[in-house]
Amino acid sequence: MKDAKSTILAGKAILGIEFGSTRIKAVLIDEGNKPIAQGSHTWENQLVDGLWTYSMDAIWHGLQDCYADLRADVQKQYGVELETLAAIGISAMMHGYMAFNKQEEILVPFRTWRNTNTGQAAAELSELFYFNIPLRWSISHVYQAILNGEPHVKDIDFLTTLAGYIHWQLTGEKVLGIGDASGMLPIDPVSKNYSAIMVEKFDQLIAPKALGWTLTDILPKVLLAGEDAGKLTAEGAKKLDVSGHLKPGVPLCPPEGDAGTGMVATNAVKQRTGNVSAGTSSFSMIVLEKDLSKPYEMIDMVTTPDGSPVAMVHCNNCTSDLNAWVGLFKEYQELLGVPVDMNEIFGKLYNHALTGDADCGGLISFNYISGEPVTGLAEGRPMFVRSADDKFNLANFMRTHLYASVGVLKIGNDILFNDEKVKVDRITGHGGLFKTKGIGQRVLAAALNSPISVMETAGEGGAWGIALLGSYLVNNDKKLSLADFLDEQVFGGDAGVEIAPTPEDVAGFNAYIETYKAALPIEEAAVKCKK
């Protein structure tokens, strides 16, 4: 505690803040990259006029409340005030659409990654670029707005992501880390910048509209991990710390997306490593040795924070429906007058699930709170399906919901491992699905037919990951690569606890996923009949 206190007083602590889907989290780390304090703020997206968004008030209130919570934690633990820092890093949900005019006013409410209204734009751009352009990417959003004839488009002066926006407001710099930038527009692996060919094609495509801008005019500058991304301004310090104690001048690392910080937090930036983040949404990131043989609609090509190519399978839905069912059991327990311990409820239900049939006894669950591009659905309807002769019991019921949480992820990764023969030495899991020890690991191992590791630090998540990128900016005296910095300075060879798949679980999940795919028309029908 004394060392942590002196680190804070000396201004050598590093702050990482990440905007997740349901929580904004701040982590303060010391010079040895260990967390010493944290803060958080819970929030939820809103469906407004058919689009998922967070209001600007919610963004700033959330950031300031999260920082205030961190500051209170520092005061409680160490009895000191947080006044200066060695570095700050900002991370957030990737992709989406934040468009601003010359007066720095947002032109339409923030459109998050969760929106799937960009189908026409994504399809046309994928064909134009011969590159899979996902629905949630920023380029899809801006082109869809153009196709829709939205009047605000002509007024765009700056287009960025949530992380890029916060960073801009704190530093005045219109920049973006390469990992987050790769979710705006494809990156050229040689130049480590937006693809010049695709920029030119897009500008030619929209030229007849005479909008008064080109892509280069409105996109943030791309930066690699470790590059200078500006300093906290006096105005930015006031926006972050409303108490007025935080001093300006703190260097910031390039802002990154949650995919990049997940790679960093799990030491998965080297080739033949990968990680799976499983929470409100899920995604897998496999760092490739070579390019895929062709574009796949289910697989996004992004980059590590230092620019290596990554095959990403992104699923809009993961644990939300599973959590809702657990919440139902919580209500039942309260109805009986039994004291509720959520950790106990999750633990009991998850462990009981593993006593069920490996194929879930024929039960099927679709966890689609929102649309799911990997399976071709623009909207979602959470749904549980069984036939009269299926083995309907609690163990199978919970197991099918656990399987459903990573089912779509399996469909995408089967392409990588079975069709493209991608090799991977280590996959690390992190996120809410892995909080109940061993269960999420075993389910994911069965889904991907691969050993899954979970580190003790995985619970620190993306806020810790972006703090590590801040450390890489200011504490990399040896000029190491990002992968070597993580190996030597952060993880020290710790690969976590590994669980390998059992043949029975793999065969069961394979049988489950075939029934799941065959039943997708039921989910499609549910979407059509309930508007």
Side-chain angles (χ1 to χ4, degrees):
M1 185 176 287
K2 184 181 177 184
D3 287 344
K5 181 176 179 177
S6 59
T7 296
I8 294 166
L9 287 171
K12 293 182 178 179
I14 294 165
L15 172 62
I17 297 176
E18 180 160 280
F19 288 73
S21 301
T22 58
R23 191 164 67 130
I24 305 169
K25 186 175 180 183
V27 170
L28 199 67
I29 63 172
D30 62 16
E31 294 163 283
N33 300 305
K34 301 291 190 294
I36 54 176
Q38 65 178 16
S40 68
H41 171 84
T42 301
W43 69 341
E44 268 294 345
N45 55 189
Q46 305 296 320
L47 189 62
V48 179
D49 296 329
L51 294 171
W52 293 104
T53 187
Y54 299 87
S55 71
M56 300 299 272
D57 285 346
I59 290 168
W60 285 107
H61 172 68
L63 176 64
Q64 291 161 357
D65 187 59
C66 178
Y67 183 85
D69 193 43
L70 170 80
R71 187 171 151 256
D73 189 40
V74 168
Q75 291 170 334
K76 181 180 177 182
Q77 287 196 70
Y78 311 111
V80 297
E81 183 58 68
L82 200 55
E83 294 192 338
T84 189
L85 297 157
I88 297 173
I90 300 295
S91 172
M93 302 165 277
M94 290 177 72
H95 323 300
Y97 184 72
M98 296 191 85
F100 298 87
N101 61 19
K102 283 185 169 61
Q103 290 74 43
E104 301 188 4
E105 300 163 334
I106 195 162
L107 292 166
V108 290
F110 169 35
R111 297 172 182 177
T112 78
W113 58 271
R114 200 170 192 175
N115 290 296
T116 53
N117 63 310
T118 54
Q120 182 185 353
E124 290 185 15
L125 292 175
S126 295
E127 185 176 349
L128 178 71
F129 296 154
Y130 191 63
F131 191 103
N132 178 42
I133 303 297
L135 300 176
R136 66 188 179 281
W137 279 19
S138 304
I139 194 69
S140 296
H141 281 279
V142 71
Y143 187 49
Q144 191 66 53
I146 292 169
L147 291 174
N148 293 347
E150 296 188 40
H152 78 269
V153 171
K154 67 182 185 309
D155 297 321
I156 297 175
D157 183 66
F158 181 45
L159 179 66
T160 191
T161 64
L162 179 55
Y165 166 66
I166 298 295
H167 183 96
W168 169 43
Q169 293 299 301
L170 296 184
T171 65
E173 300 291 337
K174 295 179 177 179
V175 299
L176 202 58
I178 191 168
D180 206 4
S182 69
M184 295 196 79
L185 184 75
I187 295 291
D188 181 331
V190 177
S191 70
K192 309 289 189 191
N193 203 344
Y194 303 115
S195 167
I197 293 171
M198 295 185 200
V199 168
E200 183 180 0
K201 284 184 175 180
F202 186 85
D203 286 341
Q204 289 175 352
L205 178 67
I206 66 168
K209 303 285 186 183
L211 296 171
W213 51 259
T214 65
L215 269 185
T216 308
D217 296 332
I218 66 171
L219 289 177
K221 180 183 177 183
V222 178
L223 295 177
L224 298 175
E227 292 188 329
D228 176 26
K231 290 182 169 58
L232 184 67
T233 63
E235 185 183 29
K238 289 175 186 172
K239 285 183 174 179
L240 180 57
D241 179 14
V242 293
S243 76
H245 287 90
L246 183 63
K247 295 172 183 172
V250 180
L252 272 78
C253 66
E256 265 298 349
D258 49 2
T261 59
M263 285 185 264
V264 171
T266 54
N267 195 18
V269 298
K270 277 186 177 175
Q271 291 181 356
R272 292 175 67 110
T273 65
N275 80 90
V276 170
S277 172
T280 305
S281 64
S282 70
F283 51 79
S284 62
M285 315 285 293
I286 307 297
V287 188
L288 301 178
E289 296 178 278
K290 61 179 182 178
D291 289 337
L292 301 180
S293 64
K294 63 180 182 179
Y296 291 93
E297 191 174 346
M298 297 177 182
I299 298 169
D300 309 344
M301 292 305 301
V302 291
T303 79
T304 62
D306 57 349
S308 294
V310 174
M312 177 183 191
V313 176
H314 184 282
C315 311
N316 281 358
N317 304 281
C318 185
T319 59
S320 294
D321 191 46
L322 174 62
N323 291 342
W325 282 108
V326 173
L328 202 66
F329 289 108
K330 168 181 172 281
E331 282 189 48
Y332 175 65
Q333 196 165 318
E334 289 172 334
L335 197 62
L336 295 178
V338 179
V340 170
D341 179 333
M342 288 309 293
N343 289 330
E344 182 184 29
I345 292 176
F346 274 103
K348 288 271 175 85
L349 289 173
Y350 280 21
N351 279 283
H352 187 60
L354 296 189
T355 68
D357 296 296
D359 66 351
C360 304
L363 311 183
I364 293 292
S365 171
F366 293 101
N367 64 334
Y368 297 4
I369 300 288
S370 64
E372 196 56 82
V374 171
T375 48
L377 284 154
E379 292 182 54
R381 301 286 182 268
M383 186 165 57
F384 168 69
V385 181
R386 69 184 179 102
S387 57
D389 55 354
D390 287 334
K391 297 177 184 175
F392 184 42
N393 56 46
L394 182 59
N396 283 339
F397 181 78
M398 288 309 303
R399 191 163 184 143
T400 191
H401 287 292
L402 281 164
Y403 276 22
S405 66
V406 294
V408 179
L409 197 69
K410 173 180 173 57
I411 292 170
N413 276 278
D414 279 350
I415 294 171
L416 289 177
F417 300 134
N418 299 340
D419 300 347
E420 289 284 336
K421 310 300 181 188
V422 167
K423 303 297 181 189
V424 62
D425 297 324
R426 187 185 80 245
I427 297 177
T428 307
H430 62 112
L433 184 65
F434 305 104
K435 282 183 180 176
T436 301
K437 199 168 184 179
I439 310 302
Q441 262 179 285
R442 181 172 159 184
V443 169
L444 185 62
L448 302 187
N449 192 16
S450 171
I452 303 296
S453 297
V454 170
M455 300 178 180
E456 287 297 320
T457 52
E460 303 298 343
W464 183 56
I466 192 66
L468 293 179
L469 287 172
S471 180
Y472 183 62
L473 173 71
V474 296
N475 292 331
N476 186 23
D477 298 334
K478 297 180 183 177
K479 305 299 180 188
L480 299 171
S481 69
L482 179 59
D484 287 344
F485 176 83
L486 294 173
D487 272 344
E488 294 181 23
Q489 307 288 347
V490 181
F491 293 96
D494 176 24
V497 177
E498 183 178 275
I499 290 180
T502 67
E504 181 188 21
D505 281 353
V506 171
F509 208 122
N510 285 339
Y512 172 88
I513 210 68
E514 290 308 311
T515 307
Y516 181 100
K517 289 189 284 189
L520 276 168
I522 305 172
E523 172 69 16
E524 292 170 8
V527 170
K528 288 176 184 174
C529 79
K530 186 184 176 186
K531 288 293 184 182

